[in-house]
Amino acid sequence: MSRFEGLRADSSLFTLDGAPFRILGGSIHYFRVPRPYWKDRLLKMKACGLNTLTTYVPWNLHEPERGTFNFQDQLDLTAYIGLAAELGLWVILRPGPYICAEWDLGGLPSWLLQDKDMQLRTTYPGFVNAVNSYFDKLISVVEPLMFQDGGPVIAVQVENEYGSYAKDEKYMTFIQNCLQSRGINELLLTSDNWEGLRYGGVEGALKTINLQRLTFGAIQHLADMQPQKPLMVMEYWSGWFDVWGDYHHVFHAEDMLAVVSEILERGVSINLYMFHGGTSFGFMNGAMDFGTYKPQVTSYDYDAPLSEAGDCTTKYQMLRDLFSQYHKEPLPDVPAPQERRAYEPVFMQQHLSLWDSLHFTDKPYRSQSPVNMENLPVNNNNGQSYGYTLYETTITSGGTLNSMNNIRDRALVFVDRQFVGCLDYKTREVALPDAEGERTLGLLVDNCGRVNYGKALDEQRKGIVGDLVLNHSPLRGFTIFCLDLKPNFIRRLMGSGQWKTDFRSLSAPAFLQAKLIVDGPPSDTFIRLPGWGKGVVFVNGQNLGRYWSIGPQHFLYLPGPWLKSGENQIVVFEEQRVDNKLLFAENPDHGKTIDVYKLPFCSLL
C-alpha cells in the first residue's frame, strides 16, 4: 500500500494527497536545455507561479543502438526530476514511446526502420518487442521517482496524441499495460487535440486536450466526454515551431493571455507547451509532411514565455502577474538573466575538403543497389541514424539523372567531385555533362529530419531509398560512406595533420576550422553565418545544429557552459557556399515573422 494518496481525478477537481489541487504546469525538455542551465530554467518556472513540470522522454537518445541505454550526463532523467522535486515542483512524465515534440521521428529510434515490415505505433510484434525492452529499462529508472515512493511524479501520460494516428485499437491498451505492469500506479492521462479526442483515449486514463484557441467549444467537448472529471489542457500552445524557408511564428502575448485567463477562470488545469522550448541540438529536428515535406529549424524557441536562451519575455511577465493571483504567498524572485556577449568575429584558419575527410569515416560499404541509411551495416549493425551519406558509382556517359523521387531528403550531385546540381522533392532531374571514359558520380544525401507527426511517420527511411536512373537505366555498383559526424569522427578530423591553410584551393563541401579565444568566464552567445550556405557547426565537439541561409533562423545558440576560458575549437561543415568568418551576437535574429493567431487553424496542424 502507498504511504501517500497521489493525484486523483475522482470528481470535477483534482485532489493531491486528499486536498484539492490545480495543475499549473509548463513543459521544459531536459534534452533541449544544457544541463548546467536546468536549475536556472526550473527556478524561472517556479518564479512564474507554476507548480508542475512536464517533460517528454526521447527514446531515440536514451537507446541510440538496440539494447544500449544512456541515462547519463545530459540524459540523466533521474537528476532532472530530482532537481524539480528539490525546487518544489511536481512532475508529469510523458514517456511516449512516441512523443512528437518536433523531434526526429517523434522520438522513435531510427533502427526500428531496419525492419522493412515495421509498423510504428501499433501492436506489430517487432514494435512491441522493442517497446517492451525499452520500457523495462526506462520504468526501472523512473519508478522510484513516483509520488507513491515519495517522489515528485504525480501523473504519467499514456503515449501521445494517438487519436490523430489511431491505426490499431489494441495499441493504447498495450502501452497502458506496459506502464502498470512495471509498477506505475500514479494517475494515467492521455493527450489529444480536439479531433483526436474521440479516438485517442483508453479505459482508466483521464483524457486531456491540446489547443491554442478556445474554438469549437473545445473545453465543453472534453467535459461532455468525461462528466464529473477534472478538466485539463495538457498542451496549451504558447507559440509555434518554425520550418526552413518559411516565417518565424509568433503568438502575441495579449492574445495568449486572454485565452490562458479564460481557461483559469473556468477552473481548468493547464500546462503551457512550451514554457521554455530550448534547442533541437545536433540533427534532432523533426519535419512536417502534409503532402509537402518541410524540415524544422534548429531553434525550438517556440515564441515561448522563456526564450531559447532562457530570457524572461513579455509573455513571462504577464503570466507571472496572472498566476500570482492563484497563490496565497508572494512568488519567489525571478533569477537574474544570464550574461551574454558578442565575441569578436573569428576567421577560418584551416580547411579540409569532404573528399579528403572520407578516410576518417568507417569503412565504406559496397552494394549493387543503393541502400537506405538505416540499413547500412554501421554502428554495430544499427544502421545510420542522422547526418549525411555519400553514394558513389561509376558512369560512362552524360545525360539525364532522374531521382525517381527516391532521395531523402536532399542530394548534392557531383561528377568527378565537381558540383553539377541538387536533387530534392521538387527537383528530380539533373543534367550530367558529357565526357569520354569512366567518371565518378557522387551524391551527398542529407537527412534533413524525419517527420514527427501524422501518417507520413511510416515512410521515414532516409538516404537513397530506391533506384536512380541515368538515361532510363538504373545505376548499379555503389560505394557508400556514412557521414553521421559523430564525436569520434570530429575528434579524428581535428587530430588530422592534413588540414590546409591555402584558401585558394578551397571548394565546398568542406570542413573549416577556427579558434574562439574567450577572456575570462565564458558567456552565452549567438553565432551568425551571413555569408554561408547550409551546414552544421561544432564547438568543442558539441553539435550546435544546422544553419541554412533560406532562414527564417539566422543564428545558432551557443551556451556559455559549452565554452571554456582560453581557446575554443570551432568546426563548420559547409555544403555549398563558404565564407571566411563567423560573427557573434548578443541576441538572435529569427527572420521575418508571421502571427499564428491570424493563420487558419488547419494550417497549423
Side-chain angles (χ1 to χ4, degrees):
M1 287 293 290
S2 168
R3 292 178 292 137
F4 304 100
E5 184 186 309
L7 189 67
R8 295 283 181 270
D10 302 328
S11 65
S12 58
L13 292 175
F14 285 111
T15 59
L16 182 61
D17 218 5
F21 182 71
R22 167 85 73 99
I23 297 166
L24 302 176
S27 291
I28 303 179
H29 301 150
Y30 57 100
F31 46 95
R32 279 186 159 123
V33 179
R35 181 168 177 168
Y37 284 159
W38 285 354
K39 188 170 187 177
D40 173 76
R41 308 310 194 244
L42 295 184
L43 282 170
K44 286 171 178 166
M45 172 179 272
K46 183 84 174 167
C48 196
L50 302 186
N51 58 24
T52 303
L53 164 70
T54 70
T55 185
Y56 283 132
V57 180
W59 182 5
N60 59 351
L61 292 190
H62 286 296
E63 193 180 1
E65 296 180 2
R66 194 183 288 270
T68 301
F69 298 98
N70 182 3
F71 285 86
Q72 305 297 312
D73 305 319
Q74 184 66 49
L75 297 175
D76 192 340
L77 181 55
T78 301
Y80 186 64
I81 294 175
L83 179 61
E86 186 186 308
L87 301 179
L89 291 165
W90 300 110
V91 176
I92 295 175
L93 197 62
R94 310 175 81 193
Y98 160 85
I99 61 172
C100 184
E102 287 70 64
W103 195 253
D104 188 273
L105 202 60
L108 301 175
S110 67
W111 46 257
L112 290 166
L113 303 175
Q114 292 184 312
D115 177 352
K116 65 178 173 43
D117 299 318
M118 175 56 66
Q119 296 171 49
L120 302 173
R121 303 181 75 194
T122 70
T123 50
Y124 172 74
F127 190 71
V128 164
N129 293 340
V131 170
N132 273 321
S133 171
Y134 169 55
F135 271 29
D136 282 346
K137 177 63 179 179
L138 174 62
I139 304 305
S140 73
V141 170
V142 301
E143 199 270 335
L145 304 166
M146 297 294 136
F147 187 90
Q148 64 175 7
D149 293 315
V153 179
I154 55 174
V156 178
Q157 186 175 296
V158 184
E159 232 265 355
N160 189 54
E161 296 185 314
Y162 196 66
S164 301
Y165 193 75
K167 289 188 73 167
D168 183 337
E169 60 187 26
K170 297 176 184 171
Y171 175 68
M172 287 293 282
T173 304
F174 159 64
I175 298 297
Q176 180 183 33
N177 187 53
C178 279
L179 298 168
Q180 292 177 329
S181 66
R182 289 168 175 83
I184 300 298
N185 297 315
E186 304 306 331
L187 180 68
L188 297 182
L189 309 164
T190 59
S191 162
D192 285 286
N193 63 28
W194 191 90
E195 291 172 331
L197 271 176
R198 196 179 316 163
Y199 308 106
V202 63
E203 189 69 35
L206 181 74
K207 291 182 178 183
T208 66
I209 194 169
N210 303 339
L211 52 79
Q212 189 170 65
R213 316 172 192 199
L214 294 174
T215 43
F216 314 121
I219 301 289
Q220 189 58 47
H221 178 58
L222 179 63
D224 292 344
M225 295 180 92
Q226 295 182 133
Q228 291 306 300
K229 292 285 184 187
L231 296 169
M232 178 165 183
V233 179
M234 175 53 82
E235 291 186 12
Y236 177 72
W237 301 321
S238 64
W240 203 247
F241 59 85
D242 297 338
V243 297
W244 288 114
D246 205 340
Y247 292 96
H248 172 56
H249 292 84
V250 295
F251 180 27
H252 291 298
E254 297 78 8
D255 294 328
M256 180 206 72
L257 195 75
V259 186
V260 174
S261 299
E262 186 172 343
I263 289 169
L264 294 178
E265 282 165 16
R266 292 194 193 186
V268 177
S269 284
I270 190 169
N271 175 59
L272 297 162
Y273 186 99
M274 299 293 295
F275 180 72
H276 168 52
T279 312
S280 301
F281 293 112
F283 296 116
M284 285 299 134
N285 64 279
M288 293 173 65
D289 192 343
F290 296 99
T292 306
Y293 172 85
K294 296 179 181 178
Q296 288 144 359
V297 304
T298 299
S299 171
Y300 201 56
D301 179 87
Y302 208 83
D303 197 33
L306 275 188
S307 75
E308 179 175 8
D311 297 332
C312 297
T313 65
T314 302
K315 281 182 182 171
Y316 180 96
Q317 303 299 347
M318 287 181 164
L319 286 169
R320 180 173 150 89
D321 291 344
L322 176 63
F323 287 131
S324 68
Q325 299 167 30
Y326 292 84
H327 291 267
K328 294 189 180 81
E329 302 295 322
L331 296 179
D333 291 339
V334 180
Q338 300 292 335
E339 189 181 318
R340 287 217 289 274
R341 280 164 72 182
Y343 295 103
E344 290 298 311
V346 298
F347 290 86
M348 311 317 290
Q349 296 171 320
Q350 303 182 90
H351 62 92
L352 188 66
S353 79
L354 168 71
W355 320 108
D356 290 339
S357 75
L358 293 178
H359 62 280
F360 296 113
T361 66
D362 292 339
K363 185 180 172 190
Y365 178 60
R366 288 179 170 77
S367 168
Q368 277 301 100
S369 300
V371 176
N372 60 290
M373 284 174 59
E374 296 82 1
N375 285 97
L376 291 174
V378 295
N379 297 317
N380 300 312
N381 284 320
N382 286 275
Q384 181 182 347
S385 296
Y386 313 107
Y388 300 83
T389 312
L390 176 66
Y391 296 79
E392 289 191 335
T393 186
T394 301
I395 57 172
T396 53
S397 72
T400 302
L401 176 66
N402 190 313
S403 73
M404 311 297 287
N405 197 28
N406 285 324
I407 299 289
R408 302 285 184 278
D409 299 296
R410 185 172 181 272
L412 304 181
V413 183
F414 302 87
V415 174
D416 285 344
R417 299 182 172 179
Q418 297 298 307
F419 177 70
V420 295
C422 181
L423 293 168
D424 56 24
Y425 293 98
K426 290 180 185 165
T427 305
R428 299 182 185 180
E429 288 189 350
V430 165
L432 304 185
D434 284 316
E436 294 293 314
E438 293 189 345
R439 292 172 300 158
T440 300
L441 173 70
L443 297 106
L444 181 65
V445 183
D446 177 15
N447 162 11
C448 296
R450 294 184 185 84
V451 165
N452 55 270
Y453 178 85
K455 308 296 184 189
L457 198 72
D458 295 322
E459 303 299 329
Q460 292 308 305
R461 291 170 182 86
K462 298 295 185 178
I464 300 180
V465 299
D467 281 337
L468 310 179
V469 298
L470 177 56
N471 303 329
H472 309 293
S473 295
L475 293 170
R476 293 290 179 258
F478 286 88
T479 302
I480 307 171
F481 297 85
C482 166
L483 284 150
D484 47 13
L485 309 190
K486 286 182 165 182
N488 281 342
F489 172 81
I490 298 297
R491 277 194 290 272
R492 289 197 295 270
L493 205 64
M494 296 298 300
S496 159
Q498 297 171 15
W499 292 82
K500 298 185 172 94
T501 53
D502 180 359
F503 277 76
R504 289 172 301 181
S505 65
L506 171 59
S507 66
F511 295 90
L512 296 99
Q513 211 183 124
K515 289 183 173 63
L516 171 64
I517 308 298
V518 174
D519 296 325
S523 301
D524 286 7
T525 191
F526 293 95
I527 295 180
R528 294 189 55 236
L529 302 101
W532 299 75
K534 179 177 179 296
V536 194
V537 177
F538 301 83
V539 175
N540 295 331
Q542 296 269 10
N543 186 338
L544 299 189
R546 311 167 192 270
Y547 64 89
W548 197 351
S549 59
I550 64 172
Q553 178 177 346
H554 292 293
F555 65 90
L556 283 170
Y557 172 51
L558 172 50
W562 291 359
L563 292 168
K564 55 194 178 191
S565 298
E567 187 176 290
N568 295 269
Q569 209 70 48
I570 301 179
V571 173
V572 180
F573 177 62
E574 166 60 52
E575 298 175 31
Q576 282 187 281
R577 191 178 78 228
V578 169
D579 194 15
N580 68 340
K581 65 181 181 297
L582 300 177
L583 306 181
F584 297 89
E586 282 187 43
N587 295 300
D589 174 7
H590 288 286
K592 292 180 181 175
T593 63
I594 191 164
D595 181 357
V596 296
Y597 216 58
K598 294 184 170 63
L599 293 171
F601 180 71
C602 60
S603 73
L604 293 177
L605 293 177

